[in-house]
Amino acid sequence: MRISVIGCGYLGAVHAACLARLGHEVVGVDVVPEQVTALAGGLAPFHEPGLEGLLGETLGSGRLTFTTDPASSAGARVHFVCVGTPQRRGEYAADLSAVRSAVEGILPLLTPGDLVVGKSTVPVGTAEMLSERVREAQPEAELVWNPEFLREGHAVADTLSPDRLVYGVADVEGREQAQAAVKLLDEVYAEAIAAGTPRIVTDLATAQLVKVAANSFLATKISFINAMAELCEATGADVVALADAIGHDARIGRRFLNAGVGFGGGCLPKDIRAFMARAGELGVDQALTFLREVDSINMRRRVRMVDLAREVCGGSIVGRRIAVLGAAFKPDSDDIRDSPALNVAAQMQLQGAQVRVTDPKALDNARKRWPDLAFAETVADAVADAEVVMVLTEWPEYVGLDPVALREQVATPRLIDGRNCLDPVTWRAAGWTYRALGRP
Ligand code: UGA
């Protein structure tokens, strides 16, 4: 099937390459020429395991092309809208300008039977408004909302083998055109459907809400365990053992119960805020007041992490040499958007510490965002002569560090495990002062 993908950022680039892998003929359209040049040359503009291999394979097959020319979407039966919806400057609400202009750009190209599929995360009500625009431009074309649940670092696998498919369709019961749209989207995802992937066909509002509800739940789960970490600190209990114990209850589950410096990235923080803003507009802000607390707990972790560094340094971080391991918001990513690691590093620097940050993949992005911070290419350079080492992103290479060897490289063997990813017994046995949030 000929398909166009509008917006080739994280979501779109991966989606386009995966659709081509499934045998479709895909054109990816983006307004940023550098992004298009990189992707067309088989280079992923961001770190995502497996993506470059997939780009090489699908570009080589001739089924995948990238362009800045919006007219190249003409002739596609399905148009996926994958542009970003960042937080608006100075507000909680989402900025929908890219989604609006992506859909407006497709309107003149639509022919009867075409399908516009929204994948971007949008405030509920957006799809209804866009659907109206599609209907005005081409009454025999349909708009469907099909949220995406991929995680950075696992984006290719999540896209090729999603754990569920959600289609939001207006009045699917009563309209043949809507049913044809579902059938067409089923053809796009034929492989996943044949593999037994659950597929939920619902209305537009529900489909939009599913996405933000899922991210809100995940954020709540993380803040819940971080709130428990605060209780653990007040009582001398251990949040990791607590998470393991409650996680054995299948109704709770252990995943997303890792306490530490909290959640960041380009999705969870801005999605819960945009959701609160939308609830306010809908007059049901009380329903989501708890998300404000989820956000506060999360932000407190960053402040608490700096306090812990101060405590470990004996009351002041002024002039102290602190090595920060990790800049990305999570491992297997070079994404530094709202990264807790960099937030903590920057706070400490602003409060007078001598901070040196390292990361296996995110240094270029980190340098651009925080030019005043000092960066080191390797762990050895970062920790040389350090008085405190802080692990703030749980990259496998940091989790696997040898405490005995590392001890030789620092001035004082003090470790703060900001992700509860290291074994306190081993580190203490190697002579380190080990501290973490929520652990004795
Ligand atoms: C998140 C969702 O997990 C995806 O399902 C969703 O599709 C995506 O947002 C999106 O909306 O596009 P992502 O932002 O890639 O994916 O990252 P997560 O794996 O959810 O991690 C988010 C943050 O939570 C990271 O900073 C991570 O370190 C932190 N986290 C995660 C914890 O602090 N504790 C945990 O137990 C798990």
Side-chain angles (χ1 to χ4, degrees):
M1 194 184 301
R2 194 167 153 73
I3 293 175
S4 85
V5 174
I6 321 294
C8 295
Y10 224 102
L11 167 58
V14 175
H15 195 61
C18 289
L19 289 174
R21 165 75 179 277
L22 294 171
H24 302 297
E25 194 186 315
V26 185
V27 57
V29 185
D30 200 286
V31 291
V32 182
E34 303 81 55
Q35 186 102 344
V36 166
T37 309
L39 288 166
L43 298 171
F46 43 82
H47 174 73
E48 182 60 42
L51 180 58
E52 284 197 347
L54 191 58
L55 282 172
E57 177 194 321
T58 47
L59 288 164
S61 72
R63 286 196 307 274
L64 178 63
T65 51
F66 290 99
T67 175
T68 51
D69 178 12
S72 302
S73 294
R77 289 187 70 197
V78 180
H79 303 272
F80 282 99
V81 176
C82 296
V83 295
T85 52
Q87 192 174 331
R88 261 189 243 161
R89 265 176 213 274
E91 289 179 45
Y92 266 17
D95 178 353
L96 295 177
S97 52
V99 174
R100 280 207 192 89
S101 80
V103 172
E104 292 296 324
I106 304 166
L107 297 181
L109 310 173
L110 291 176
T111 58
D114 284 356
L115 186 57
V116 179
V117 184
K119 287 198 88 64
S120 310
T121 302
V122 290
V124 57
T126 308
E128 290 81 347
M129 178 261 292
L130 298 172
S131 171
E132 195 54 42
R133 295 290 298 136
V134 167
R135 203 167 305 138
E136 283 163 14
Q138 175 47 262
E140 290 174 56
E142 187 76 20
L143 178 133
V144 168
W145 215 260
N146 168 223
E148 177 59 54
F149 306 102
L150 67 79
R151 298 157 300 164
E152 294 188 15
H154 306 267
V156 172
D158 285 352
T159 306
L160 288 173
S161 318
D163 49 18
R164 78 285 211 190
L165 291 164
V166 177
Y167 302 176
V169 193
D171 307 320
V172 71
E173 291 302 327
R175 288 191 310 125
E176 261 177 42
Q177 186 173 308
Q179 285 152 22
V182 169
K183 236 173 124 201
L184 191 55
L185 201 50
D186 278 349
E187 277 180 50
V188 174
Y189 294 128
E191 202 166 295
I193 290 170
T197 307
R199 158 181 157 295
I200 291 154
V201 179
T202 180
D203 53 86
L204 286 172
T206 307
Q208 294 163 89
L209 281 173
V210 165
K211 170 70 193 195
V212 277
N215 276 2
S216 298
F217 192 86
L218 294 172
T220 304
K221 206 170 174 191
I222 299 168
S223 277
F224 173 83
I225 200 64
N226 281 329
M228 292 306 109
E230 293 185 5
L231 267 297
C232 287
E233 280 158 40
T235 53
D238 183 341
V239 73
V240 176
L242 183 142
D244 289 343
I246 64 171
H248 280 299
D249 183 334
R251 294 169 302 172
I252 296 173
R254 179 63 176 83
R255 293 173 76 189
F256 270 68
L257 279 184
N258 294 324
V261 73
F263 61 82
C267 302
L268 263 43
K270 68 121 176 136
D271 285 356
I272 61 170
R273 292 170 190 162
F275 201 15
M276 284 187 268
R278 186 66 186 129
E281 288 166 7
L282 293 167
V284 287
D285 44 333
Q286 273 189 346
L288 297 187
T289 332
F290 75 96
L291 285 180
R292 198 171 290 277
E293 202 49 48
V294 166
D295 204 353
S296 304
I297 294 166
N298 192 50
M299 287 303 157
R300 266 205 309 273
R301 296 285 85 187
R302 302 177 183 191
V303 177
R304 177 76 188 107
M305 196 52 77
V306 179
D307 288 343
L308 189 55
R310 211 184 328 273
E311 216 176 294
V312 162
C313 288
S316 169
I317 54 172
V318 176
R320 295 308 184 105
R321 291 183 301 278
I322 302 179
V324 169
L325 309 191
F329 84 104
K330 68 172 190 180
D332 271 331
S333 170
D334 63 355
D335 196 342
I336 52 129
R337 284 176 294 171
D338 202 359
S339 163
L342 279 178
N343 182 305
V344 168
Q347 281 189 66
M348 295 190 302
Q349 153 113 347
L350 287 168
Q351 292 175 31
Q354 299 181 51
V355 182
R356 232 177 300 157
V357 183
T358 189
D359 189 282
K361 296 288 176 197
L363 282 188
D364 287 348
N365 288 338
R367 275 195 191 98
K368 278 181 222 147
R369 176 75 180 77
W370 297 101
D372 293 343
L373 274 173
F375 295 97
E377 292 296 329
T378 62
V379 171
D381 288 343
V383 303
D385 230 13
E387 295 165 275
V388 183
V389 175
M390 298 175 78
V391 176
L392 298 185
T393 312
E394 69 280 32
W395 284 95
E397 42 269 75
Y398 303 157
V399 177
L401 280 169
D402 175 2
V404 177
L406 202 71
R407 195 186 150 175
E408 302 307 314
Q409 300 168 44
V410 299
T412 326
R414 298 187 190 111
L415 180 89
I416 296 179
D417 179 1
R419 291 288 183 181
N420 283 315
C421 59
L422 302 169
D423 176 24
V425 176
T426 319
W427 282 77
R428 284 184 182 132
W432 288 77
T433 302
Y434 173 98
R435 294 294 304 272
L437 293 181
R439 303 190 93 174

